[in-house]
Amino acid sequence: MSTKVAVVTGSNKGIGLAIVRALCKEFQGDVYITARDVGRGQEAVKSLNSEELKPMFHQLDINDLNSITTAAAFFKDKYGGVDVLVNNAGIAFKVADTAPFDVQAEVTLKTNVFATRDMLTHFMPIIKAGGRVVNVSSFVGSRTLNQCSAALQQRLRSDDITEEELMGLMQQFVDLTKKNEHKQGGWPEAAYGVSKTGLTTLSMILARRLSRERPNDGILLNACCPGWVRTDMAGSKASKSPDEGAMTPVYLALLPPGATEPHGKFVSEKEVQPW
């Protein structure tokens, strides 16, 4: 049997690092911290080494296509693919940030939607049978979906929306913000929220594709909300520790062999949520 491997993006700190910590304890195989900055990634490895855990490190900047393809080739060559992929890397502007809304929209969706989609485009073909894919989204995405126009809600919730249509809608949002016409276009003033609506919808689209194209491989793909977690992103007043925030992503990453659900769902507190 080849060694199993788990890969967590954006995992040098915060929820990502907490997910790696839990997987090091519970996953039977190698666990990789990935980060765009090699120095910070290696520091994170050392911090877990001090807890007697032994994660590995690979450089991975999801905003750099070359970095994605290099990492995918490494895991395919060394492990024959990936058993667990947690797409945790993401960004959010602070509420007090003075950057114009169109800049916030473009930058936020670039990472949270388009770069995460690039990750999935290159890593889905190397997910091994029985694999688990977890996209760390947010309940803010469901809340934002409910603030979209009825027409947008209908498309974003439909079973026949394609990846191409979704990416077109996400780009439309970014383009409309540049003209300050997003509200007329049916979108709310919520860059992070729209990005997470997009990520959850993408998760559902890709899960349906897996069921069609690899029906016998037993791969489960889900989106989840970690909750409101004390991180650099959410701040110190949040209610959960990073380890508590890691619980649902880790639960989905470690769904037992032979499990058939959840799949293509949005999960919070280990429970499937309405979408």
Side-chain angles (χ1 to χ4, degrees), residues 2 5 9 16 20 32 36 45 47 61 73 103 109 113 122 128 139 148 151 154 201 207 218 223 229 243 259 264:
S2 62
V5 64
T9 68
V20 170
Y32 276 78
R36 57 188 169 192
V45 168
S47 77
D61 177 357
V103 172
L109 269 71
V113 177
H122 291 278
K128 295 188 219 168
F139 71 91
C148 292
Q154 192 275 325
T201 304
V229 180
D243 289 327

Side-chain angles (χ1 to χ4, degrees), residues 39-59:
R40 278 183 280 198
Q42 288 168 340
E43 281 303 310
V45 168
K46 281 191 198 133
S47 77
L48 290 187
N49 287 162
S50 72
E51 299 174 31
E52 318 226 309
L53 302 172
K54 296 191 165 53
M56 296 160 98
F57 175 75
H58 198 284
Q59 194 276 341

Side-chain angles (χ1 to χ4, degrees), residues 52-99:
E52 318 226 309
L53 302 172
K54 296 191 165 53
M56 296 160 98
F57 175 75
H58 198 284
Q59 194 276 341
L60 176 54
D61 177 357
I62 71 165
N63 280 303
D64 176 355
L65 202 51
N66 189 45
S67 175
I68 291 176
T69 55
T70 300
F74 168 80
F75 289 113
K76 186 168 193 320
D77 184 52
K78 180 162 184 182
Y79 296 95
V82 170
D83 298 278
V84 170
L85 172 64
V86 183
N87 285 303
N88 165 78
I91 63 160
F93 282 80
K94 301 290 186 203
V95 175
D97 200 297
T98 54

